[in-house]
Amino acid sequence: MVNINLKKVSNNFFHTEKIDSRVLDIHKELVENKFDCFLVGGCIRDLLSKKKPKDFDLVTNAVPDQIIKVFKKRARLVGKRFPIVHVRKGNLIVEVSTFRSSKSLERDYGKSGIILRDEGWGNIEEDAVRRDFTINALYYDPLKNQIIDYLDGVEHVKQRRVKFIGPPAERIKEDPLRMLRAIRFSAKLDKQLSSSMQASIKSSADQIRSVSKARLFDEFRKLFLSGTAVNTWNLLSKTSLPRLIWPECDTRNSLIPIGLASTDSRFKENKPLSPAFVIALLLWPTFDRMRSRSKSEDPESISKNILKSQNNRMSIPLRHRDFVSRIWLLQKNLQTQHNKNLNKTPSFRAAYDLLVVRGEADHSLSKHINFWRNSQKTGS
């Protein structure tokens, strides 16, 4: 049983202007149709911690059919495990969910205890208890400019504390991906994992195998392409999760934090990011080692075999696998062929970035790095 204590906190933390006006328009439509509606979760957590939210989610007492009736053709039902509605406003898609029940009568569980379906609707108090972490169980009423907090989430954001709602072992069993979410939120808050969280992950880590490959890839993007990749890796590498998700990755390799720091810099500069570069970085030492040892197998086959093996643990879309292969195979060309036409190939920039990362550990690559750096400056 989770104890709740309602606190209505006047919002002195952020201006309403920080919220996309289109989200507020959707909120207004639901309220005008006599439904309760609040902004919820990560967007409130990010606003409280002075970060720019990636997106804004809404929660309401309207059930999916009622939401669709309000927004008609602008609404679409999505999700198998937890049915939600995507509502379109201009070119923005907003996720609108219904308050969930804290009772388990309407849930289907798999043999391992993972929730397969959850269609039990409830009220806001039950919904708060159903969320995973206290810092995600925050609700914002833009009409009253008020934060509704049942589980001390506001205080935990201030403390940069990531805490499960309810028994950690139970919440992880329901959805093992929550272990990665705990690490991601801790990285965003620039906080080390608590000893209790470390213990929970240690005892439950093997359960990550039951998470679908597609969901792992979606979480992978959030972990490493949100500007906190270095923090994330520092936390991840202290657990056994990397070897379970990326078994071909050498977590001790010094190139990884260097490359992830480069990714974080690109994020801050609003430059394009690709999951393929991060995958190429994590698995490069394996490819390089296997290529060096093999006397008969060609590099392209080695690349395909590594990525095929990895794809059995975490789904990697074909276009990204092809991109990773091109990044790896271009390394030799960048070291042996000073053909200026190479910098016109689509995968050149990512391959060059990996070469620069490698150059941090291997100074013999400096002349090649300088050549390609200068060729880009001159536009040759």
Side-chain angles (χ1 to χ4, degrees):
M1 184 71 179
V2 177
N3 293 322
I4 61 174
N5 179 26
L6 173 61
K7 294 178 183 177
K8 294 184 178 181
V9 183
S10 296
N11 174 34
N12 299 313
F13 304 98
F14 58 86
H15 296 292
T16 309
E17 290 78 10
K18 297 282 186 181
I19 302 170
D20 193 307
S21 61
R22 294 168 294 183
V23 177
L24 297 176
D25 288 342
I26 293 172
H27 172 273
K28 182 180 179 182
E29 285 189 67
L30 281 166
V31 172
E32 288 177 345
N33 279 273
K34 310 303 181 184
F35 294 111
D36 295 333
C37 185
F38 304 90
L39 278 84
V40 67
C43 60
I44 310 305
R45 178 197 68 231
D46 289 346
L47 288 168
L48 289 176
S49 53
K50 309 302 181 185
K51 299 181 185 299
K52 183 178 179 180
K54 183 181 178 183
D55 46 38
F56 295 91
D57 295 335
L58 295 171
V59 66
T60 175
N61 61 346
V63 300
D65 286 347
Q66 292 173 319
I67 299 170
I68 291 172
K69 187 175 180 179
V70 170
F71 297 101
K72 299 180 173 62
K73 293 183 178 180
R74 290 187 288 140
R76 183 170 66 94
L77 186 67
V78 298
K80 294 181 180 179
R81 299 170 72 248
F82 308 113
I84 59 174
V85 178
H86 280 176
V87 177
R88 178 170 46 82
K89 181 72 175 180
N91 62 353
L92 180 70
I93 302 292
V94 177
E95 183 177 293
V96 183
S97 61
T98 303
F99 293 139
R100 300 196 181 280
S101 172
S102 58
K103 301 173 184 177
S104 61
L105 296 177
E106 302 298 328
R107 295 192 211 124
D108 287 344
Y109 290 86
K111 292 180 181 179
S112 64
I114 294 175
I115 296 176
L116 302 178
R117 182 180 62 86
D118 185 353
E119 294 185 359
W121 315 128
N123 55 37
I124 188 172
E125 292 88 356
E126 291 178 298
D127 188 79
V129 173
R130 277 297 305 143
R131 294 186 178 267
D132 49 8
F133 303 101
T134 58
I135 58 174
N136 289 340
L138 294 168
Y139 303 79
Y140 175 66
D141 183 346
L143 298 180
K144 297 180 180 179
N145 195 29
Q146 190 175 72
I147 297 169
I148 299 174
D149 180 8
Y150 291 94
L151 297 155
D152 290 325
V154 171
E155 190 61 31
H156 292 165
V157 171
K158 291 180 182 178
Q159 296 171 358
R160 297 180 296 140
R161 180 184 181 190
V162 178
K163 180 184 178 183
F164 275 111
I165 298 170
E170 181 180 314
R171 302 315 305 273
I172 291 173
K173 188 175 182 180
E174 289 175 346
D175 185 357
L177 196 70
R178 286 173 176 156
M179 291 183 284
L180 294 180
R181 285 169 59 80
I183 287 171
R184 174 158 58 90
F185 297 143
S186 295
K188 288 189 75 170
L189 295 171
D190 196 17
K191 186 77 171 180
Q192 293 295 315
L193 293 175
S194 66
S195 56
S196 60
M197 184 66 75
Q198 289 183 50
S200 298
I201 291 176
K202 183 177 181 179
S203 62
S204 305
D206 282 348
Q207 294 180 41
I208 200 70
R209 299 177 189 274
S210 62
V211 177
S212 76
K213 298 187 295 181
R215 290 187 72 214
L216 280 176
F217 181 73
D218 287 341
E219 186 63 26
F220 169 82
R221 295 173 64 103
K222 296 173 185 177
L223 285 166
F224 293 110
L225 303 180
S226 302
T228 56
V230 173
N231 283 354
T232 296
W233 183 252
N234 288 339
L235 298 177
L236 261 175
S237 58
K238 294 175 183 176
T239 74
S240 59
L241 290 171
R243 68 172 176 79
L244 295 169
I245 304 171
W246 309 290
E248 303 285 356
C249 174
D250 177 6
T251 58
R252 298 164 297 177
N253 194 280
S254 61
L255 295 183
I256 293 175
I258 296 170
L260 293 179
S262 173
T263 298
D264 285 344
S265 295
R266 290 181 66 83
F267 177 87
K268 292 172 185 175
E269 295 168 8
N270 291 316
K271 292 181 177 179
L273 297 174
S274 170
F277 175 79
V278 179
I279 295 168
L281 174 70
L282 295 180
L283 302 181
W284 162 257
T286 302
F287 171 78
D288 190 38
R289 182 178 65 255
M290 293 180 69
R291 182 188 61 178
S292 300
R293 291 177 179 176
S294 177
K295 296 180 179 179
S296 57
E297 193 174 10
D298 65 277
E300 190 169 353
S301 295
I302 293 171
S303 170
K304 287 182 178 179
N305 288 337
I306 292 173
L307 293 171
K308 182 179 179 180
S309 174
Q310 177 58 65
N311 200 56
N312 290 330
R313 294 292 183 91
M314 181 186 80
S315 179
I316 306 172
L318 181 59
R319 69 182 185 280
H320 291 312
R321 276 180 274 159
D322 288 343
F323 196 7
V324 172
S325 289
R326 292 197 298 271
I327 291 172
W328 286 344
L329 297 175
L330 266 176
Q331 296 304 301
K332 183 177 180 181
N333 293 338
L334 293 176
Q335 291 174 239
T336 59
Q337 301 177 28
H338 285 181
N339 179 351
K340 294 179 180 179
N341 288 328
L342 280 177
N343 65 18
K344 298 175 183 178
T345 60
S347 46
F348 167 80
R349 180 65 211 197
Y352 167 76
D353 287 344
L354 181 59
L355 182 70
V356 172
V357 171
R358 293 173 54 213
E360 293 287 335
D362 183 355
H363 298 300
S364 69
L365 298 175
S366 296
K367 62 180 180 181
H368 306 297
I369 293 170
N370 290 334
F371 174 84
W372 292 114
R373 181 184 293 121
N374 292 331
S375 74
Q376 292 175 80
K377 288 179 181 179
T378 60
S380 300

